[in-house]
Amino acid sequence: MRIPIQSVTPTSGQAEICGWVHEVRDLGGLAFFLIRDRTGIIQVTIPKKRTSEAVLAAARQVSRESVVRVTGVVKAIDKAPGGREIVPDVFEIISIADSPLPLDVVEKVPADLDTRLDARFLDARRPRVAAVFQIRSAAMHAINQFLHNEGFINITTPKIVAAATEGGTELFPIAYFDKEAFLNQSPQLFKQMMMAAGFEKVYEIGPIFRAEEHNTTKHLNEATSIDIEMSYADHFEVMGVLEQLIVKTYEYVGETCSDQIANLEITDFIIPKAPFPRLPYGEAIEIAKKKIEDPIQYGDDISPAAERAIGAEIGGHYFIVDWPSAIRPYYAMPHEKDPGICKAFDLMHPRMELSSGAQRVHQHDILVQQIKKKGLNPESFEFYLRPFRYGMPPHAGWGLGADRLVMTMLGLSNVREAVLFPRDMHRLVP
Ligand code: ATP
Ligand code: MG
């Protein structure tokens, strides 16, 4: 029976392993193969004079990255990885790999990101690439567990929709029989409707689609969003949930992924400490004014350069609060005393925005007014407005980008590194 390579020890006796041919070295009388599976690497040593013709024939024919099955005696040997080797009785080629390889899995030849993404199946055989996705999996597990434990109900909402969440042009139109339809840019309206349905706490982890034409290291046209919505909560309460979720996710990854963190050569995996600072938008603008050359003033969006300047000043995760209502969506709740600002927030990593959220407007007539004020037509939002006429609890929520969370957690330079098959303006395959 096949055992994981990691579990083969010098005392294993007879062992069977399956994996890829990582490296081949032929020293005349001896041939060495490094065989790799997802758990590790082992040396297979073939003493040519004392090996069967069947094993020798397979060993001559096999190419790098072929899949093989090897059975043999495990011996202790100092110089090999893990201090052991297998001398094979059986060396079977299960699936031969063509040569040359489109990508060097051993990483002796560095490849650019496009080449790697074109051959993602080979790229992901590299332990350091696999490590990113193992950590992403652990992070998603921690997030699901945290939200489940907090009493959130996991929901799934449609990705094919008739109306934009926030109006605008960032939508992908699709052919939907004889109707106009789009890919949804956010589960916002649906998770709010579930507050009218009485679910009180909901979450969804799913794709969001943005037809944005920018070509940056932190934007994709298909991203994964972690969304929550919570009844009888204000913006402060959901900010608390968000910072707890971030801390718990880092803690879980720190506890369960030390091998992967080491593989990525991360020497300072720092768990953020809650509470994160709450920086009013006005103060954030003042910091940016002093530190960046481009003019920026109260009422502007916070540009990427401003994000980085403020991030450098704060030095860790932080929230920007008290945003001008004019630059937030219609569903953000205005402050009672100063409707010019609203109960919206962004969660920031020093490098970029990770999440946007707010207490929402739950009063039907104010919502209609605010939709109109943004130049949108309330009639297109009737399906969304209707629940607000039949008993809508006050509520708040946020959307957190899963890809950016993994990117910033691991210090990756491009969000595409955190996504298996990224979608951008230039990439639709594979
Ligand atoms: P940005 O200003 O950085 O483009 P945004 O304010 O447009 O982001 P939101 O609509 O607030 O994004 O979405 C909530 C979160 O979803 C963002 O903070 C981000 O983490 C993630 N997100 C949004 N759009 C994208 C995208 N195109 N690619 C990757 N992640 C995204
Ligand atoms: Mg945002």
Side-chain angles (χ1 to χ4, degrees):
M1 208 182 66
R2 177 179 89 96
I3 56 172
I5 286 175
Q6 180 183 257
S7 320
V8 180
T9 68
T11 56
S12 295
Q14 185 84 6
E16 176 180 322
I17 54 139
C18 289
W20 289 272
V21 175
H22 188 68
E23 263 186 16
V24 182
R25 250 183 324 139
D26 194 335
L27 301 182
L30 281 175
F32 297 103
F33 293 83
L34 291 182
I35 309 296
R36 184 192 72 239
D37 72 6
R38 97 173 197 189
T39 67
I41 287 183
I42 194 164
Q43 177 170 300
V44 170
T45 303
I46 301 183
K48 289 190 189 165
K49 283 198 178 138
R50 284 176 281 129
T51 302
S52 71
E53 189 45 45
V55 168
L56 290 177
R60 269 195 301 272
Q61 194 202 345
V62 78
S63 52
R64 278 175 53 212
E65 295 305 316
S66 297
V67 178
V68 296
R69 184 172 71 90
V70 175
T71 306
V73 178
V74 185
K75 295 187 173 163
I77 171 172
D78 281 348
K79 280 184 189 155
R84 79 296 194 230
E85 65 176 1
I86 296 181
V87 179
D89 307 321
V90 177
F91 190 107
E92 181 196 346
I93 302 173
I94 295 176
S95 172
I96 193 121
D98 283 354
S99 303
L101 295 163
L103 191 73
D104 184 11
V105 175
V106 186
E107 256 178 312
K108 281 186 184 143
V109 187
D112 64 34
L113 187 57
D114 265 326
T115 310
R116 290 176 43 207
L117 292 174
D118 284 341
R120 194 55 142 167
F121 67 97
L122 272 178
D123 183 50
R125 289 186 196 174
R126 296 171 164 180
R128 58 181 296 136
V129 175
V132 171
F133 295 100
Q134 287 160 5
I135 291 172
R136 183 173 168 133
S137 169
M140 298 318 267
H141 175 75
I143 290 166
N144 273 291
Q145 196 166 42
F146 172 78
L147 291 172
H148 181 81
N149 290 345
E150 292 289 313
F152 284 83
I153 298 173
N154 184 198
I155 59 167
T156 303
T157 64
K159 304 306 153 205
I160 302 176
V161 296
T165 308
E166 295 174 26
T169 54
E170 294 173 353
L171 284 167
F172 286 113
I174 57 165
Y176 192 72
F177 308 110
D178 55 351
K179 289 194 177 67
E180 183 180 54
F182 305 94
L183 293 175
N184 206 3
Q185 62 190 162
S186 156
Q188 179 69 30
L189 307 186
F190 293 95
K191 61 181 182 166
Q192 284 193 261
M193 285 194 279
M194 293 317 291
M195 298 301 98
F199 277 32
E200 288 196 15
K201 291 173 163 186
V202 299
Y203 82 101
E204 175 165 13
I205 301 178
I208 55 170
F209 302 93
R210 307 270 168 114
E212 297 159 338
E213 290 190 6
H214 38 216
N215 188 10
T216 77
T217 54
K218 60 174 188 175
H219 288 96
L220 293 168
N221 295 111
E222 178 176 349
T224 299
S225 181
I226 302 153
D227 270 89
I228 76 156
E229 203 65 31
M230 196 171 163
S231 286
Y232 308 108
D234 60 12
H235 51 311
F236 296 120
E237 201 170 335
V238 292
M239 283 158 68
V241 173
L242 181 50
E243 65 192 358
Q244 283 309 316
L245 176 141
I246 298 285
V247 170
K248 286 276 186 312
T249 305
Y250 271 75
E251 280 176 355
Y252 185 75
V253 167
E255 283 160 19
T256 60
C257 300
S258 47
D259 287 354
Q260 288 84 353
I261 290 169
N263 244 326
L264 287 162
E265 289 160 34
I266 300 171
T267 48
D268 54 341
F269 187 78
I270 297 164
I271 317 254
K273 283 205 176 48
F276 302 156
R278 273 79 168 146
L279 181 70
Y281 165 90
E283 285 179 30
I285 292 291
E286 288 310 311
I287 295 174
K289 264 188 194 165
K290 288 196 198 108
K291 296 185 110 187
I292 62 171
E293 285 182 11
D294 301 340
I296 184 165
Q297 55 181 358
Y298 192 96
D300 290 346
D301 275 325
I302 299 195
S303 62
E307 276 182 5
R308 285 191 298 271
I310 304 160
E313 174 91 10
I314 309 278
H317 289 84
Y318 65 103
F319 287 104
I320 303 180
V321 298
D322 296 342
W323 287 75
S325 303
I327 55 171
R328 297 302 287 212
Y330 58 82
Y331 48 75
M333 177 73 96
H335 271 285
E336 294 81 9
K337 291 201 180 117
D338 178 3
I341 57 172
C342 64
K343 299 182 181 181
F345 59 86
D346 276 2
L347 171 67
M348 309 297 295
H349 177 276
R351 291 172 65 194
M352 71 191 75
E353 176 191 321
L354 295 182
S355 171
S356 286
Q359 183 180 337
R360 324 297 189 185
V361 176
H362 63 279
Q363 307 93 330
H364 178 273
D365 295 353
I366 300 181
L367 196 52
V368 171
Q369 269 174 29
Q370 298 217 139
I371 289 174
K372 286 185 185 155
K373 236 196 258 171
K374 296 281 177 189
L376 300 167
N377 180 0
E379 279 169 29
S380 343
F381 294 91
E382 175 51 21
F383 76 98
Y384 165 68
L385 286 169
R386 199 170 171 220
F388 289 79
R389 293 196 291 270
Y390 297 93
M392 176 62 96
H395 58 278
W398 43 254
L400 166 67
D403 318 294
R404 289 189 192 176
L405 176 64
V406 175
M407 173 191 185
T408 51
M409 177 184 277
L410 303 182
L412 306 173
S413 58
N414 193 317
V415 70
R416 290 161 184 78
E417 300 266 8
V419 177
L420 279 173
F421 300 104
R423 289 288 172 262
D424 61 34
M425 273 180 77
H426 306 292
R427 182 169 290 280
L428 195 53
V429 177

